[in-house]
């Protein structure tokens, strides 16, 4: 993100600010969830001061509100997505924007049929094209329905500010969906540059686990939209468990990949 922000050929930084707002939120929430999992996995030893988990938990927790409250930042990210046509909310031009979004959704929906929504073979579920399609569809669908709701409120005479207040939960859902899609896209772009085929295959498996876990965690939404069926939802959950098992033997390599300095690994529990 720093590299993108420093690119002088892209003078408009608003898009990057939207991206940073969303990524900061999901990263710090993820850090909180991860440290809690680690604490519980260590049992009573996770409470011991000498193992530093309590200190780490305190440090991580503050970042959900530090440098911007995560909830507010996700709202900011969602509004940034709508910013390209926010000025058209009160004009006839907004209708054309909605038609464009609807057309894009219709194009995506052509692939969503009973055969696709219940396709469960490993080649399909592990394919990044499926993951990107799912994230892109969710992002577009949430953008379209959010824009429709705001338009309907404004048509009823509700001021734009009040209209946004009435769709807060929708804004948060769009902000998170956008951020997840962005993080996965950046990850996929990065692993394309890995020349070592062994490590590349390992990272592809990590990315696949992330994507399927995200789809699984929002399975209710995908099921409601008819994007996945019951059979596929169950298969995705099983694949998440299987990938976790397959990655377990590689945990040392994956942790070493963060390059944590030795002097930071002094807790007795790390030995």
């Amino acid at each position: 993100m720093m590299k993108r922000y420093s690119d002088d050929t892209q003078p408009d930084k608003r898009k990057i600010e939207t991206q940073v707002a969303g990524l900061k939120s999901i990263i710090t929430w993820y850090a909180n969830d991860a440290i809690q999992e680690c604490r519980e996995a260590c049992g009573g030893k996770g409470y011991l001061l000498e193992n530093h988990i309590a200190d780490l938990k305190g440090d991580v927790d503050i970042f959900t509100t530090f440098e911007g409250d995560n909830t507010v930042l996700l709202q900011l990210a969602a509004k940034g997505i709508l910013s390209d046509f926010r000025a058209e909310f009160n004009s006839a031009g907004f209708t054309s924007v909605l038609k464009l979004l609807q057309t894009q959704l219709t194009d995506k929906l052509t692939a969503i049929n009973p055969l696709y929504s219940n396709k469960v073979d490993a080649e399909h579920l592990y394919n990044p094209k499926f993951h990107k399609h799912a994230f892109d569809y969710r992002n577009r669908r949430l953008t379209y329905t959010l824009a429709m709701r705001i338009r309907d409120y404004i048509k009823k005479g509700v001021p734009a500010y009040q209209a946004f207040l009435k769709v807060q939960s929708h804004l948060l859902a769009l902000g998170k969906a956008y951020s997840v899609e962005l993080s996965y896209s950046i990850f996929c772009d990065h692993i394309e540059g890995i020349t070592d085929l062994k490590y590349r295959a390992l990272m592809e498996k990590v990315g696949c686990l992330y994507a399927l876990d995200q789809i699984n965690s929002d399975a209710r939404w995908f099921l409601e939209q008819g994007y996945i069926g019951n059979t596929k939802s169950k298969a995705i959950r099983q694949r998440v468990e299987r990938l976790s098992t397959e990655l377990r033997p590689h945990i040392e390599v994956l942790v070493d990949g963060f390059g944590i300095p030795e002097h930071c690994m002094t807790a007795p529990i790390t030995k």
Side-chain angles (χ1 to χ4, degrees), residues 131 135 184 206-216 236:
H131 309 149
F135 292 150
Y184 183 68
V206 172
C208 183
L209 175 58
Y210 173 77
L212 291 181
D213 181 60
Q214 287 296 322
I215 295 173
N216 180 57
I236 289 173

Side-chain angles (χ1 to χ4, degrees), residues 27-271:
I27 288 171
T28 51
W29 270 327
Y30 176 82
N32 267 279
D33 292 340
I35 197 69
Q36 181 64 21
E37 286 285 340
C38 292
R39 211 289 303 153
E40 293 182 18
C42 294
K45 292 184 181 295
Y47 282 112
L48 297 179
L49 292 177
E50 66 179 9
N51 287 327
H52 306 314
I53 294 181
D55 290 337
L56 288 171
K57 203 170 187 308
D59 288 342
V60 167
D61 185 62
I62 194 175
F63 284 108
T64 59
T65 52
F66 190 58
E67 295 294 349
D69 179 88
N70 281 2
T71 300
V72 176
L73 287 178
L74 280 187
Q75 293 171 350
L76 178 66
K79 289 180 180 179
I81 299 168
L82 295 172
S83 64
D84 289 341
F85 49 89
R86 188 186 306 161
E88 299 182 51
F89 281 167
N90 292 302
S91 69
F94 188 57
T95 303
S96 63
V97 175
L98 290 176
K99 287 181 178 179
L100 173 62
L101 283 170
Q102 189 174 33
T103 301
Q104 293 172 339
L105 275 172
T106 302
D107 292 341
K108 291 291 178 181
L109 280 166
T110 55
I112 303 173
N113 52 57
L115 183 64
Y116 180 86
S117 62
N118 279 301
K119 197 174 184 181
V120 296
D121 60 281
E123 184 179 357
H124 169 68
L125 294 180
Y126 288 173
N127 195 327
K129 289 184 179 180
F130 161 59
H131 309 149
K132 291 180 178 180
H133 188 282
F135 292 150
D136 182 61
Y137 173 76
R138 180 175 61 175
N139 196 25
R140 290 177 185 273
R141 180 72 185 176
L142 287 170
T143 301
Y144 173 72
T145 52
L146 176 60
M148 285 288 289
R149 290 184 65 193
I150 294 173
R151 185 199 65 168
D152 290 343
Y153 279 122
I154 291 177
K155 285 178 68 175
K156 294 176 183 177
V158 178
Y161 175 74
Q162 291 293 330
F164 273 104
L165 289 179
K166 289 178 177 290
V167 294
Q168 291 298 301
S169 59
H170 203 145
L171 281 168
L172 294 176
L174 174 57
K176 184 175 181 181
Y178 166 79
S179 304
V180 168
E181 180 184 17
L182 175 64
S183 64
Y184 183 68
S185 175
I186 292 174
F187 179 86
C188 289
D189 291 342
H190 174 72
I191 62 176
E192 286 183 0
I194 299 177
T195 55
D196 189 304
L197 297 181
K198 179 181 177 182
Y199 287 132
R200 179 170 177 170
L202 181 59
M203 294 307 292
E204 286 175 346
K205 187 171 289 189
V206 172
C208 183
L209 175 58
Y210 173 77
L212 291 181
D213 181 60
Q214 287 296 322
I215 295 173
N216 180 57
S217 65
D218 205 13
R220 183 177 64 179
W221 186 90
F222 284 107
L223 283 164
E224 288 174 353
Q225 302 300 319
Y227 187 86
I228 61 174
N230 295 336
T231 304
K232 194 168 190 173
S233 178
K234 181 179 179 180
I236 289 173
R237 184 173 67 252
Q238 292 173 339
R239 292 291 174 179
V240 168
E241 295 175 358
R242 182 178 299 181
L243 283 168
S244 299
T245 301
E246 292 176 0
L247 283 168
R248 189 173 295 126
H250 304 284
I251 191 66
E252 288 189 21
V253 173
L254 293 171
V255 172
D256 286 344
F258 287 101
I260 302 172
E262 280 296 321
H263 68 271
C264 293
M265 307 281 283
T266 56
I269 204 170
T270 64
K271 306 304 179 184

